[in-house]
Amino acid sequence: MTGHHPVLTLVRGDITEQHVDAVVNAANSSLLGGGGVDGAIHRRGGPEILAECRRLRASHYGRGLPTGQAVATTAGRLAARWVIHTVGPVHSPGDDRAHLLASCYRESLRVADELGAGTVAFPAISTGVYGWPMDDAARVAVETVRDTATAVAEIRFVLFDERAYEAFAARVR
Ligand code: AR6
């Protein structure tokens, strides 16, 4: 760990097209695929990623990957070297799960450091199927990565649409 801070960058686009060391997947506990970012990563990255996820389920993660934790696999045919799978919390109006969303970013960066990844691309975790309001998700994401000690040099948020991009831009500025 160094005393340097990573550069935060924002891109509007598709996370599967990023040339970075590691892309973070907004997965679910099964690690066996789904829609959104997860579907796109497995589709474009090919069957090697799912094969490694199945091995994880057969070994360390028999009950699945708990919410807020992260684990790495190959990135298959993606331009990245690794996919870091993390499981965001489902948004709940009556239950503050922001600590779990923050944990996704923190744990993903911890895994990135273990791998020696210099550049990491994150999607807006939990803001799709899991229903987290975009502005609040952007706040948690940016605050957490700024507060996390890491040797990662660049953290790139990859936002799928203009609304998401603007929400993150308002926090990074
Ligand atoms: N690149 C970047 N961002 C994307 C892409 C893409 N290719 N596709 C969607 N987004 P979601 P979640 C945006 O639903 O809410 C899956 O089924 C999307 O617009 O992918 O954490 C998993 O298997 C949204 O802003 O993730 C889980 O079951 C954000 O990425 C569940 O969905 C996250 O949307 C996880 O739900």
Side-chain angles (χ1 to χ4, degrees):
M1 223 65 68
T2 70
H4 299 286
H5 289 291
V7 174
L8 303 192
T9 56
L10 302 181
V11 170
R12 182 174 165 186
D14 184 334
I15 197 156
T16 66
E17 294 174 2
Q18 304 303 308
H19 290 250
V20 287
D21 293 329
V23 299
V24 175
N25 182 19
N28 61 64
S29 286
S30 81
L31 290 176
L32 300 179
V37 169
D38 200 6
I41 283 175
H42 283 285
R43 212 160 35 243
R44 202 174 170 122
E48 256 192 279
I49 301 174
L50 187 58
E52 218 176 303
C53 287
R54 288 192 195 285
R55 285 196 289 275
L56 287 169
R57 284 301 307 275
S59 55
H60 282 72
Y61 296 97
R63 292 177 159 175
L65 181 65
T67 303
Q69 294 190 26
V71 68
T73 66
T74 174
R77 297 195 286 257
L78 297 180
R81 291 178 66 183
W82 302 284
V83 172
I84 297 173
H85 306 264
T86 190
V87 181
V90 175
H91 185 259
S92 164
D95 182 24
D96 186 3
R97 299 175 180 167
H99 64 289
L100 291 169
L101 184 56
S103 177
C104 289
Y105 288 95
R106 205 180 304 116
E107 288 299 302
S108 294
L109 289 172
R110 191 181 57 73
V111 171
D113 279 333
E114 281 174 9
L115 296 166
T119 52
V120 178
F122 281 99
I125 298 164
S126 288
T127 64
V129 173
Y130 285 177
W132 207 287
M134 189 61 74
D135 288 333
D136 195 58
R139 176 187 64 80
V140 172
V142 172
E143 281 181 7
T144 303
V145 304
R146 280 196 171 135
D147 286 349
T148 302
T150 174
V152 170
E154 181 194 348
I155 295 173
R156 187 181 304 173
F157 292 109
V158 183
L159 295 321
F160 212 42
D161 57 29
E162 194 57 29
R163 194 177 60 91
Y165 183 91
E166 287 305 327
F168 275 70
R171 296 291 173 178
V172 168
R173 268 179 211 130

